[in-house]
Amino acid sequence: MKISENHPFDLTPGEAIRLQETLRRQVRLAGDPGEVSLVAGTDASYARGSDEIHAVVVALRYPDLAVVERVAASIVTEFPYIPGLLSFREGPALLEAFRRLRSEPDVIFFDGQGIAHPRGLGIASHMGILLDRPTVGVAKSLLSGTAAEPGPDRGSTAPILRDTETIGMAVRTRARTKPVYVSVGHRIGLQAAVDLVLSTTRGYRLPEPTRQAHLYANEVRRGGGQTTLLPGGG
DNA sequence: GCGACAG
DNA sequence: ATCTTGTCGC
């Protein structure tokens, strides 16, 4: 898909923070994806000692969640992992993967925060602005704000609060399992985001788009992105 | 100054 | 995120 906006990524941490404070004003915290027929999930993986990032995007049909397209991009990064600046490390690889994606997802899930971020611009919000698409942050842990423990049943939620403001929702996607932390990325409302996360979860903690992306990202890293050849040929 | 700290 | 086998619980 086409990238609607662009800006340099070869920045110092200080410059990156300044850019975040500028971009945050473009985030749209409301909106309706409308009739959703395609949902995408993204993820990135890398080997311990390597700075080569393998980013992937997986598109799934909604609501049956059949995988319809998978793309990957491997890029070397110099930007280190710094809490609050994740998108400057993984963003370039993710954007390259999106350039290779032919599908046009109605909504995209990212591994990390949306606006539940110190400067209101987690990776889901940042990428959402550049892609000009509805995006949702689905994080496995909290970066900013506090949340009460949701009830034990699947579907239970508890607001993520920063002072008195609700910046996201802790969501129990599976009974007796740690919740995930959902926040608006761009061009979608929180309730719609939470509803989509729950309606795309199938028996695991993570929603299918995110889970399939995670599996594929590891596959790409281990297999070098090459087509799998079965022993013995075929 | 001391912790906390998405992936 | 990644390094790693088995193991406890639903």
Side-chain angles (χ1 to χ4, degrees), chain A residues 9-206:
Chain A
F9 271 90
D10 56 330
L11 306 172
T12 64
E15 294 170 334
I17 287 174
R18 279 194 34 174
L19 178 55
Q20 288 182 322
E21 290 168 342
T22 295
L23 289 176
R24 69 179 301 178
R25 296 195 296 267
Q26 297 178 40
V27 175
R28 313 305 314 169
L29 287 62
D32 190 337
E35 203 65 0
V36 176
S37 59
L38 202 59
V39 183
T42 75
D43 193 27
S45 76
Y46 27 90
R48 180 175 48 176
S50 171
D51 268 336
E52 182 178 26
I53 296 186
H54 307 280
V56 309
V57 180
V58 179
L60 296 77
R61 203 166 53 202
Y62 184 87
D64 70 299
L65 305 184
V67 174
V68 298
E69 188 181 359
R70 306 195 299 181
V71 294
S74 299
I75 286 185
V76 172
T77 309
E78 302 128 51
F79 205 96
Y81 169 66
I82 299 173
L85 298 179
L86 176 65
S87 60
F88 290 89
R89 174 168 172 76
E90 301 188 347
L94 285 170
L95 291 172
E96 179 53 34
F98 274 109
R99 286 188 195 97
R100 300 177 182 181
L101 187 72
R102 298 185 58 205
S103 305
E104 296 273 317
D106 298 302
V107 60
I108 306 167
F109 290 179
F110 285 83
D111 220 347
Q113 317 294 341
I115 65 168
H117 175 281
R119 289 169 293 282
L121 198 84
I123 191 166
S125 299
H126 190 170
M127 295 298 106
I129 289 171
L130 298 187
L131 297 168
D132 192 23
R133 281 273 158 184
T135 62
V136 175
V138 183
K140 294 180 291 301
S141 63
L142 227 37
L143 172 65
S144 179
T146 59
E149 181 78 12
D153 300 334
R154 164 179 158 75
S156 297
T157 63
I160 300 171
L161 302 174
R162 189 171 56 202
D163 297 318
T164 169
E165 179 186 15
T166 294
I167 58 175
M169 204 73 90
V171 180
R172 187 88 66 190
T173 50
R174 181 185 178 171
R176 298 175 303 280
T177 299
K178 303 293 299 174
V180 296
Y181 301 91
V182 178
S183 59
V184 169
H186 185 54
R187 289 179 51 184
I188 190 173
L190 179 57
Q191 188 57 56
V194 170
D195 289 346
L196 273 170
V197 166
L198 283 171
S199 64
T200 55
T201 299
R202 295 292 143 86
Y204 294 87
R205 181 192 181 205
L206 297 176

